[in-house]
Amino acid sequence: MSNNRDAIVIAIDGPSASGKSTVARLAAQKLGFNYVDSGSFYRGITWKALREGLDTSDSQQVVALINRIDFVCFLQDGAVEFSIDGEEPGEQIRSQPVQEHVSDIAAVPEVRVFLVNMLRETARFGSLAMEGRDIGTVVFPDSPFKYYLDADPEERARRRYNELAKKSEYNDVSEVYDSLARRDHKDTTRKAAPLQIALGAKVIDSTRMNAEQVVDVILEDIRLAGAKA
Ligand code: DC
């Protein structure tokens, strides 16, 4: 599946604002693994498409784009990053236009095939913690360390609002709640690789847990697996 059979893969899926990034980053840091934010890859393609003035709802234009770009992954400070045609998008992948159009891009099956291959190949850099929506179901279904991180919608909205408060994109928590509900609906109902609990994944409800406590669950699983090996 990957070209590094010895790499340990921690696959973390879940809805928006369930704490995936914090948990995956912290787990990677504690274990000396690489961190991979798969959503950033979908955002990167979206950034490139918008930059070229493409209509992101026209899948033919999007497919032509992925066939001509040079998408290169590299390791930086314990995280897998990428460049597209020699450029790193940086924080631009978090911009409002990218945010608005990324679900169009993520719904194109050819984009998913392209990025699933890219994401699998990141295991060549070594063991990793990867977060996303289809990591345990599609990208690394054979990993013994699959997690589905969830939290009550109210708690997720509160976390995301606190995270974004400084950027003041939303007036109150209820706006964030509505926006998360729309994204959850899109992510779970789309035809291509919808967000689902992977077979054999451990479901963690983090509503009343902090990131450290969630990471402890993962570290304990890895420790036990090591003990059994
Ligand atoms: O996690 P995020 O918000 O950065 O994800 C951005 C978008 O990409 C979101 O619409 C879901 C999609 N995505 C996906 O379809 N599959 C993944 N593995 C990761 C993200």
Side-chain angles (χ1 to χ4, degrees):
M1 180 144 288
S2 80
N3 48 12
N4 179 356
R5 284 166 189 275
D6 297 331
I8 297 172
V9 171
I10 302 173
I12 305 178
D13 293 305
S16 305
S18 55
K20 299 185 300 286
S21 311
T22 314
V23 165
R25 221 185 279 271
L26 191 60
Q29 195 191 326
K30 290 200 176 204
L31 291 160
F33 288 11
N34 299 316
Y35 164 66
V36 190
D37 169 5
S38 68
S40 73
F41 284 47
Y42 289 88
R43 289 170 181 268
I45 302 286
T46 310
W47 164 78
K48 183 69 176 175
L50 293 174
R51 207 148 200 256
E52 298 212 345
L54 305 187
D55 173 0
T56 57
S57 65
D58 179 345
S59 58
Q60 280 188 342
Q61 288 186 31
V62 176
V63 172
L65 175 77
I66 55 167
N67 285 330
R68 69 172 177 265
I69 55 173
D70 183 26
F71 193 106
V72 177
C73 295
F74 58 92
L75 206 55
Q76 191 168 55
D77 302 329
V80 176
E81 307 285 352
F82 58 85
S83 66
I84 301 178
D85 293 340
E87 270 191 277
E88 291 171 47
E91 277 307 296
Q92 294 174 72
I93 59 167
R94 310 276 157 208
S95 70
Q96 196 64 34
V98 168
Q99 180 68 38
E100 267 167 38
H101 293 89
V102 66
S103 48
D104 286 346
I105 297 284
V108 178
E110 291 87 346
V111 170
R112 303 204 69 87
V113 170
F114 176 79
L115 288 183
V116 164
N117 282 327
M118 286 289 166
L119 291 165
R120 283 181 183 152
E121 281 184 19
T122 63
R124 74 178 184 274
F125 297 114
S127 296
L128 54 93
M130 184 181 290
E131 52 129 334
R133 304 293 191 293
D134 64 342
I135 311 309
T137 50
V138 178
V139 184
F140 290 111
D142 298 336
S143 166
F145 306 109
K146 294 191 287 255
Y147 299 89
Y148 185 92
L149 197 53
D150 209 348
D152 287 351
E154 294 79 10
E155 173 63 15
R156 291 194 283 120
R158 197 184 57 76
R159 287 180 192 169
R160 181 53 55 91
Y161 180 71
N162 289 340
E163 208 176 277
L164 294 174
K166 282 187 219 100
K167 295 186 202 156
S168 65
E169 279 177 40
Y170 298 94
N171 293 319
D172 57 36
V173 183
S174 69
E175 269 185 37
V176 183
Y177 184 95
D178 293 344
S179 146
L180 286 182
R182 280 196 299 276
R183 287 187 62 186
D184 286 352
H185 181 74
K186 271 190 185 166
D187 287 344
T188 52
T189 58
R190 70 171 178 226
K191 281 207 189 91
L195 171 65
Q196 285 175 337
I197 300 174
L199 206 64
K202 185 178 268 189
V203 179
I204 304 179
D205 180 345
S206 75
T207 308
R208 283 170 200 83
M209 291 168 88
N210 62 34
E212 290 271 354
Q213 291 169 317
V214 177
V215 170
D216 283 346
V217 173
I218 298 174
L219 297 191
E220 181 64 3
D221 287 346
I222 290 182
R223 196 185 63 77
L224 287 173
K228 271 189 236 146

